[in-house]
Amino acid sequence: MLAYLVIREGSKWTDVFRLVPGRTVTIGRAATNQIIVKDDRASRNHAEVFLTSGQWTLRDLDSRNGTMVGNQRVLGDHPLAPGDIIRISQYQLAFVHDLSMAFAESKGSSPSGQAPAAGKAEAAVGPMGAVTNDELGEPDAADSGEGWLGEEAEAEEPTTITHRRMQTRFLRPRVDDPATPRVGNAAALLCRLAFELAKQSDVAAVANRALDGLFEETKVDAGAVLLAPRDKSGPIAVSDLEVVAARTDLEPRYHRVSNFLAGTVLREGEAVLARNVAGDSMLATRDSKGEIHSTSVICAPIREGADRVIGLIHLYSTGDDRQPDPDDLEFTLAVADNVALAIKNLGRQLELAENLSRTRSEILQLRSRLGAESEIIGGSALMANVHREIARAAASRATVLIRGESGVGKELVARAMHFASPRRKGPFVCLNCAALTETLLESELFGHERGAFTGATERKIGKFEAAHQGTLMLDEIGEMSPAIQAKFLRVLEGHPFERVGGNQQIRVNVRTVAATNRNLEKAVAEGKFRRDLYFRLRVLEIFVPPLRKRPEDVIELAVHFLDRFNAETGRRFRGFTPEAFDRMRLYRWPGNVRELKNVVERAVVLAQGDYIEADDLALTSLTTQGESAEAVMPRSGYEPVSLAEIERRHILATLKSTLWNKSRAAAILGIERSTLDRKIRRYQIQR
């Protein structure tokens, strides 16, 4: 049963396709179809023709713009009769059993007559049913507008979505195409626009610059860029879109895209060009009175990745003299992709700026908690001298020995020296030698290999390696065992070391700062500390005075700690009472700055009222290091005196130091107030 589809595009014959029983012929825009319709108004899979029960049947595949047979739109299956005209977009397909019927009308003969080209065309039909264009006769110029296969009535073209695109060809490598003479200018403008979009500092500026470029190239007179909120997650609805920028050339104001068109583009992610939309309420833009304000419209998605649409570019024209074409659609889609890229880059810049700000804030907080270089508080002459010594030692690479009582802030001095030195960008690593056994201290200093000892399940990097290009502070250096001292000295001399249980030679560039509250000279004399290590550590020496030697710093430190703990706890103390200041100034502070910090913290937590009073300060009765000798023993030589005389002198010195505050003196001496009164009477101590 011979049957053919004779294809005509506009005024030209283009092809003949022979229908074979048992084979379904698909028609559409996609390249996978047997008959390809090169028109954007055709769907990818538009229609199909097949033989069923001896009857050739046409079926529309839910196409967007429909399939026509004559002037009737196909709904479901439609049986074909010889002479039927199938209309898809601007293509016409004639269904015939005899090829002569397809050419008779165009040559002026009756449908039953033989056209001169018919035999030639019929002879050219091969086994696959294809006939080339050169083998088909074309109608005369005078007949190019005539109907064929019977008289056809002219019908007004309905509103249709005429073009759709997933990707623009303007972003592909340029190919000279005489059919698209605007591509050169459009590509140049697009390239320039892409660079300008990348320079914008915010989303609104990107949207406005994109509209300027679109109005320069396309034939539209109104439009806008609509975007969903930046923090919107999940699917985006039409109601989520906000107008970021809008522009009109002829009308007073921009009219928003219709919900139907916007929803279609959001859902399918394709750009749309629709013409002659004045009679279609689903595509046209309308004002508050319901009046239509567009004749042609372009709507392109702004895509984030391949699947997510974050916004739209909506353009429309209001006059018949300015009708956008497929090239305008291509250019709009290209601009939309560039806008999406610019918005993505702005989002990354904003995220990086937020992360940088957060990181800086965290660094400041950590430095505040760890006591960075700016945390050395004190304006006394003794502390000014410490600052000068830190400045001189910081520029050197020499080993520094920091000495002072426990709690005076030796680690803060070492940290200040590190941040004032050329190694400030390197790590600052601190290790307390008194807190670890000999085996653990060796592992902490030099690291260990896996399996070096029981429990060594993984390789561990030691403090020396961790402090490479930085500073290593060893607190309580006097507690280091002789065996570790020998290995430590070799590293200080510049020799390589090995991890515990390893054989790999490791060299590091580390500046060492040691700290101690012990008398190292006495330890050297007793053989508890290596003499050569002592001289190697004591290249530069900084002595940090105890707090009792600089009472003028007590108030400054107390106020500093009060501000810190107010911020940490949320309390709002306004300061200390004068009595509290006097008590802190007269106290000997055996625990130095560490004790002062803890006393203020306890007062902030437990005190009531707006000010911290003297009774809120929990001061101890402990004596400071060497205080009894300072108060009782003469500074030159030995004087034979009785224990009672020593007690009398000590009580008198304590009363003088407290300005005869008997309650505080009794607390320092560790006796009751009544016992102190009895001793004053017994020893006849006079004020």
Side-chain angles (χ1 to χ4, degrees):
M1 183 178 182
L2 294 178
Y4 305 91
L5 289 177
V6 184
I7 305 168
R8 183 174 182 177
E9 180 181 0
S11 61
K12 296 182 179 181
W13 299 104
T14 59
D15 210 346
V16 174
F17 198 93
R18 184 170 65 186
L19 302 176
V20 179
R23 295 184 182 179
T24 299
V25 177
T26 59
I27 308 168
R29 182 160 48 91
T32 55
N33 295 289
Q34 284 83 5
I35 298 177
I36 301 174
V37 178
K38 298 179 181 180
D39 192 314
D40 289 335
R41 288 174 292 184
S43 298
R44 284 185 171 79
N45 297 298
H46 198 103
E48 62 182 7
V49 177
F50 55 91
L51 183 67
T52 176
S53 301
Q55 173 69 52
W56 286 102
T57 303
L58 172 68
R59 175 182 294 168
D60 182 79
L61 299 177
D62 296 327
S63 62
R64 186 170 305 279
N65 292 318
T67 305
M68 307 289 289
V69 174
N71 294 325
Q72 178 184 359
R73 184 162 182 165
V74 174
L75 298 175
D77 293 348
H78 181 87
L80 294 175
D84 281 347
I85 303 294
I86 303 172
R87 296 176 181 271
I88 296 177
S89 180
Q90 63 177 351
Y91 283 72
Q92 298 176 347
L93 296 86
F95 175 78
V96 295
H97 289 313
D98 187 351
L99 283 177
S100 61
M101 296 177 62
F103 307 105
E105 185 69 15
S106 64
K107 291 300 179 180
S109 57
S110 62
S112 60
Q114 278 291 348
K120 180 179 179 181
E122 186 174 9
V125 178
M128 295 302 296
V131 178
T132 62
N133 294 346
D134 294 338
E135 295 171 334
L136 295 176
E138 294 189 0
D140 297 333
D143 298 327
S144 60
E146 298 288 340
W148 47 297
L149 285 176
E151 199 68 28
E152 297 174 10
E154 290 188 0
E156 182 181 354
E157 183 180 355
T159 298
T160 56
I161 296 176
T162 56
H163 293 86
R164 301 175 65 83
R165 279 286 185 270
M166 285 293 291
Q167 300 294 336
T168 173
R169 69 171 182 267
F170 285 152
L171 295 182
R172 303 171 188 166
R174 179 178 175 182
V175 178
D176 292 331
D177 186 359
T180 55
R182 294 170 53 194
V183 69
N185 294 332
L189 174 60
L190 182 63
C191 182
R192 184 173 70 253
L193 189 61
F195 278 96
E196 293 176 357
L197 291 177
K199 297 177 183 178
Q200 305 305 315
S201 58
D202 56 70
V203 174
V206 169
N208 280 295
R209 185 62 192 93
L211 286 178
D212 292 342
L214 288 165
F215 275 62
E216 179 181 348
E217 176 63 22
T218 61
K219 295 184 286 292
V220 297
D221 48 53
V225 176
L226 300 90
L227 292 173
R230 179 171 174 262
D231 56 353
K232 174 67 177 178
S233 59
I236 295 176
V238 176
S239 58
D240 296 326
L241 298 178
E242 301 175 357
V243 177
V244 178
R247 173 176 168 179
T248 60
D249 286 350
L250 302 179
E251 293 187 308
R253 58 183 294 270
Y254 160 78
H255 298 284
R256 190 181 174 97
V257 61
S258 68
N259 291 339
F260 172 78
L261 184 57
T264 301
V265 175
L266 284 176
R267 182 177 62 256
E268 301 188 8
E270 292 184 339
V272 170
L273 164 62
R275 300 174 181 173
N276 193 28
V277 300
D280 194 323
S281 61
M282 295 188 297
L283 300 177
T285 58
R286 294 175 177 270
D287 59 15
S288 58
K289 298 179 181 179
E291 296 181 1
I292 294 176
H293 281 263
S294 62
T295 59
S296 297
V297 61
I298 292 177
C299 192
I302 301 174
R303 290 182 286 249
E304 183 182 77
D307 302 324
R308 180 174 170 81
V309 178
I310 61 172
L312 303 174
I313 291 180
H314 174 226
L315 306 172
Y316 61 88
S317 63
T318 58
D320 296 333
D321 56 333
R322 292 178 60 82
Q323 292 288 332
D325 55 28
D327 285 339
D328 294 330
L329 176 69
E330 295 277 0
F331 186 81
T332 304
L333 186 54
V335 172
D337 289 344
N338 278 277
V339 168
L341 184 59
I343 293 174
K344 182 178 180 181
N345 291 336
L346 284 175
R348 288 178 175 175
Q349 292 177 12
L350 181 60
E351 184 178 354
L352 288 174
E354 292 174 350
N355 291 338
L356 181 60
S357 177
R358 190 183 306 113
T359 302
R360 286 175 175 171
S361 177
E362 291 174 355
I363 290 174
L364 292 176
Q365 292 176 10
L366 288 173
R367 284 186 174 180
S368 177
R369 293 177 182 176
L370 295 175
E373 70 274 18
S374 60
E375 291 295 306
I376 298 181
I377 306 298
S380 63
L382 291 175
M383 288 308 299
N385 183 58
V386 171
H387 281 288
R388 287 192 295 269
E389 293 179 354
I390 289 173
R392 287 194 295 266
S396 172
R397 298 180 57 186
T399 305
V400 180
L401 179 62
I402 303 174
R403 309 183 77 161
E405 295 179 9
S406 178
V408 294
K410 296 187 291 296
E411 182 179 342
L412 294 184
V413 172
R415 192 180 295 274
M417 193 184 313
H418 168 75
F419 284 108
S421 72
R423 297 172 177 265
R424 65 177 66 90
K425 294 184 179 180
F428 177 82
V429 181
C430 185
L431 177 65
N432 191 323
C433 299
L436 301 171
T437 63
E438 178 180 335
T439 303
L440 290 178
L441 179 58
E442 183 180 12
S443 173
E444 285 293 322
L445 280 174
F446 308 110
H448 63 252
E449 298 288 349
R450 179 179 180 182
F453 50 83
T454 303
T457 57
E458 295 180 354
R459 170 186 286 183
K460 178 180 176 63
I461 300 299
K463 300 299 184 185
F464 269 107
E465 290 183 76
H468 182 59
Q469 301 294 339
T471 303
L472 172 63
M473 179 194 174
L474 298 177
D475 199 5
E476 305 297 345
I477 191 71
E479 306 297 331
M480 188 179 289
S481 67
I484 302 298
Q485 290 178 31
K487 192 171 183 180
F488 177 51
L489 178 61
R490 282 186 55 81
V491 179
L492 289 182
E493 295 291 349
H495 297 283
F497 63 91
E498 299 174 356
R499 300 189 189 98
V500 178
N503 54 16
Q504 179 183 357
Q505 297 288 313
I506 301 173
R507 290 184 179 272
V508 291
N509 181 4
V510 174
R511 183 183 190 181
T512 304
V513 177
T516 184
N517 62 358
R518 293 184 59 183
N519 188 335
L520 290 184
E521 292 81 2
K522 182 179 179 181
V524 171
E526 294 174 353
K528 296 179 180 179
F529 199 82
R530 293 179 63 99
R531 180 182 298 269
D532 48 1
L533 178 58
Y534 168 76
F535 290 114
R536 184 66 182 82
L537 290 175
R538 196 174 173 269
V539 178
L540 298 175
E541 186 176 43
I542 298 176
F543 177 74
V544 185
L547 191 56
R548 66 180 178 276
K549 296 291 186 181
R550 45 190 180 103
E552 56 268 41
D553 292 336
V554 171
I555 302 305
E556 187 177 355
L557 284 165
V559 172
H560 167 74
F561 290 133
L562 178 62
D563 292 339
R564 173 191 288 187
F565 294 126
N566 269 342
E568 290 183 2
T569 61
R571 305 293 296 272
R572 291 294 181 268
F573 287 105
R574 301 172 63 181
F576 297 89
T577 62
E579 293 78 10
F581 277 143
D582 291 341
R583 189 169 185 184
M584 287 189 292
R585 268 193 296 263
L586 296 174
Y587 185 58
R588 302 291 288 174
W589 299 109
N592 291 296
V593 180
R594 182 184 293 122
E595 182 186 4
L596 175 59
K597 175 184 175 183
N598 295 336
V599 166
V600 175
E601 183 177 12
R602 180 184 183 278
V604 169
V605 173
L606 300 179
Q608 303 293 327
D610 294 334
Y611 291 88
I612 294 179
E613 301 179 357
D615 293 338
D616 297 324
L617 303 175
L619 304 179
T620 69
S621 59
L622 296 176
T623 59
T624 61
Q625 183 176 347
E627 183 177 32
S628 296
E630 293 176 1
V632 179
M633 296 301 294
R635 295 187 178 277
S636 59
Y638 165 74
E639 180 185 359
V641 293
S642 65
L643 290 176
E645 179 62 19
I646 291 176
E647 184 178 34
R648 188 192 71 80
R649 293 180 182 180
H650 183 55
I651 292 174
L652 178 59
T654 304
L655 288 170
K656 288 182 178 180
S657 68
T658 61
L659 300 179
W660 280 80
N661 186 327
K662 293 182 180 180
S663 297
R664 186 168 172 233
I668 293 175
L669 294 171
I671 59 178
E672 297 292 335
R673 167 71 181 270
S674 59
T675 303
L676 177 61
D677 289 334
R678 287 197 304 271
K679 290 182 181 291
I680 291 174
R681 290 192 298 269
R682 180 193 306 170
Y683 296 128
Q684 298 180 355
I685 299 174
Q686 303 278 335
R687 183 170 183 174

